[in-house]
């Protein structure tokens, strides 16, 4: 009965398309619970479902779509755009599994797979290998109405020479492509440079897309309000009004002080609303994944670097 209902709904959805157009634009395949690969109608992209991702057979749909979102001039469009969505009878999936999306690609490493979100294109961490560009996504991104994916080449992407071989290179590249953190005009990133308290708040505002206020009267409580700049005062005001920061007991904020691991831990607990968040968990994961021992093992009063911050945010917001 479910499949009969789906078939009827599918037919009605595409009744305005001619049979020829529908065949040229849409692929719809039943994928068993042991997984499988579904290719687009033009054979230029595919979706791979690993076994055990879903608890029942499901239908994977790949539709070639026209782009309604404008592309920034810094991008070169390197593929068609495809809407991917799964009809999942159980409505459940294994959150520990990833879905692989791959496009045919022969260009340089300035390209990435992007997802269309809220009228803009957002970078997904991508790898180029054997004439393909690949990303792994959470199954939630193709649940329900699904999402649209494409390949874009970023003409402004910078390969920072000072992160070549750095343990956090992949995480840094991802955050730079997402527009959360930037390099310097001399085309360096300075991964081991410390981050100030104000910089930390500004970077969080980009990561979590805060809607910044116009009324900044609340930050007048800080005695060093005059040291704030137009580049951070709105972000500090937002963080203060939401209880993420409180300043010091002497009513100074000290925006230009380098931020410690302990301060990061306290702020992130408030943002995540999770008192169980610890910096030690991040440091241990870096030790395990990257074989790097951080200064936080010596003291949480030591300062966080740009590379360590990049890894932290990559872990927290990498999923769309």
């Amino acid at each position: 009965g479910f499949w009969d209902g789906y078939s009827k709904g599918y037919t009605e959805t595409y009744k305005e398309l001619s049979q020829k157009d529908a065949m040229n634009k849409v692929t719809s395949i039943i994928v068993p619970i042991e997984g499988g690969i579904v290719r687009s109608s033009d054979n230029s992209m595919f979706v791979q479902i690993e076994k055990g991702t879903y608890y029942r057979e499901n239908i994977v749909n790949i539709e070639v779509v026209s782009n309604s979102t404008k592309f920034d001039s810094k991008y070169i469009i390197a593929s068609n755009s495809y809407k991917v969505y799964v009809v999942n009878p159980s409505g459940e999936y294994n959150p520990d599994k990833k879905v692989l999306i791959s496009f045919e690609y022969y260009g340089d490493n300035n390209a990435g797979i992007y997802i269309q979100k809220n009228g803009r294109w957002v970078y997904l961490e991508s790898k180029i290998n054997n004439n393909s560009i690949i990303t792994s996504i959470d199954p939630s991104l193709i649940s329900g109405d699904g999402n649209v994916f494409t390949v874009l080449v970023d003409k402004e992407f910078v390969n920072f020479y000072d992160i070549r071989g750095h343990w956090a290179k992949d995480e840094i590249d991802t955050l730079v492509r997402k527009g959360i953190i930037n390099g310097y005009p001399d085309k360096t990133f300075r991964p081991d440079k410390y981050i100030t308290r104000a910089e930390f708040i500004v970077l969080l505002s980009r990561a979590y897309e805060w809607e910044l206020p116009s009324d900044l009267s609340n930050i007048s409580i800080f005695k060093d309000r005059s040291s704030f700049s137009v580049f951070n005062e709105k972000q500090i005001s937002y963080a203060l009004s939401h209880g993420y920061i409180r300043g010091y007991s002497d009513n100074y904020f000290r925006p230009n002080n380098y931020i410690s691991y302990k301060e990061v831990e306290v702020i992130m607990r408030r943002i995540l609303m999770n008192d169980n968040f610890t910096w030690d968990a991040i440091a241990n994961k870096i030790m395990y994944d990257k074989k790097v021992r951080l200064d936080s093992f010596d003291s949480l009063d030591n300062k966080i670097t740009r590379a360590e911050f990049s890894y932290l945010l990559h872990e927290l917001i990498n999923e769309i």
Side-chain angles (χ1 to χ4, degrees), residues 53-285:
T53 302
Y54 296 97
Y55 302 108
R56 287 184 55 184
E57 64 182 10
N58 55 77
I59 299 176
V60 177
N61 301 280
I62 304 176
E63 177 185 353
V64 183
V65 297
S66 300
N67 287 311
S68 58
T69 302
K70 293 179 64 176
F71 290 90
D72 191 291
S73 60
K74 75 173 187 172
Y75 294 124
I76 299 171
I77 305 171
S79 76
N80 287 326
S81 294
Y82 302 87
K83 183 176 183 180
V84 181
Y85 51 104
V86 172
V87 179
N88 177 17
S90 72
E92 302 289 339
Y93 57 84
N94 185 341
D96 295 326
K97 297 289 187 179
K98 298 292 183 182
V99 173
L100 192 74
I101 291 183
S102 177
F103 286 75
E104 184 179 16
Y105 182 72
Y106 302 95
D108 58 28
N109 64 356
N110 287 16
I113 297 175
Y114 287 70
I115 185 172
Q116 191 180 56
K117 299 293 288 185
N118 301 322
R120 63 190 183 92
W121 292 97
V122 179
Y123 173 79
L124 298 173
E125 187 171 354
S126 310
K127 300 292 184 183
I128 298 172
N129 186 36
N130 294 330
N131 301 326
S132 295
I133 186 166
I134 304 166
T135 189
S136 296
I137 64 169
D138 190 273
S140 63
L141 293 183
I142 53 175
S143 298
D145 293 333
N147 277 293
V148 177
F149 304 86
T150 196
V151 175
L152 302 176
V153 177
D154 186 347
K155 295 184 289 186
E156 298 178 5
F157 177 70
V158 177
N159 285 299
F160 301 110
Y161 71 83
D162 60 343
I163 66 170
R164 295 172 188 169
H166 195 280
W167 64 265
K169 181 182 186 305
D170 291 342
E171 290 78 12
I172 291 168
D173 280 343
T174 296
L175 262 64
V176 169
R177 286 180 181 267
K178 286 179 179 288
I180 294 171
I181 193 168
N182 301 313
Y184 291 90
D186 62 358
K187 296 185 177 181
T188 63
F189 183 80
R190 305 175 196 174
D192 300 319
K193 184 177 183 291
Y194 297 133
I195 288 179
T196 67
R197 287 166 52 81
E199 285 173 331
F200 185 75
I201 298 301
V202 169
L203 295 172
L204 288 179
S205 75
R206 296 176 188 167
Y208 289 99
E209 299 180 343
W210 295 346
E211 294 185 11
L212 300 178
S214 56
D215 180 2
L216 308 181
S217 58
N218 65 331
I219 56 178
S220 62
I221 66 169
F222 294 121
K223 294 179 179 178
D224 54 354
R225 163 70 178 90
S226 61
S227 67
F228 298 1
S229 77
V230 294
F231 302 108
N232 59 44
E233 59 185 3
K234 290 184 177 181
Q235 293 85 347
I236 294 172
S237 174
Y238 181 98
L240 179 64
S241 66
H242 285 74
Y244 301 154
I245 59 172
R246 295 171 187 168
Y248 294 98
S249 58
D250 59 1
N251 291 330
Y252 280 82
F253 182 71
R254 299 184 174 92
N256 299 316
N257 281 14
Y258 292 129
I259 193 166
S260 69
Y261 298 110
K262 185 61 180 177
E263 290 172 312
V264 168
E265 181 178 83
V266 170
I267 292 172
M268 294 313 302
R269 283 181 178 178
R270 295 169 182 163
I271 289 176
L272 299 172
M273 293 185 290
N274 179 8
D275 289 337
N276 294 320
F277 172 84
T278 65
W279 176 260
D280 282 346
I282 300 296
N284 285 326
K285 196 169 191 307

Side-chain angles (χ1 to χ4, degrees), residues 285-300:
K285 196 169 191 307
I286 292 173
M287 175 81 84
Y288 180 81
D289 290 344
K290 306 289 188 175
K291 307 298 185 285
V292 173
R293 184 182 186 279
L294 305 186
D295 288 343
S296 62
F297 285 107
D298 299 322
S299 172
L300 288 178

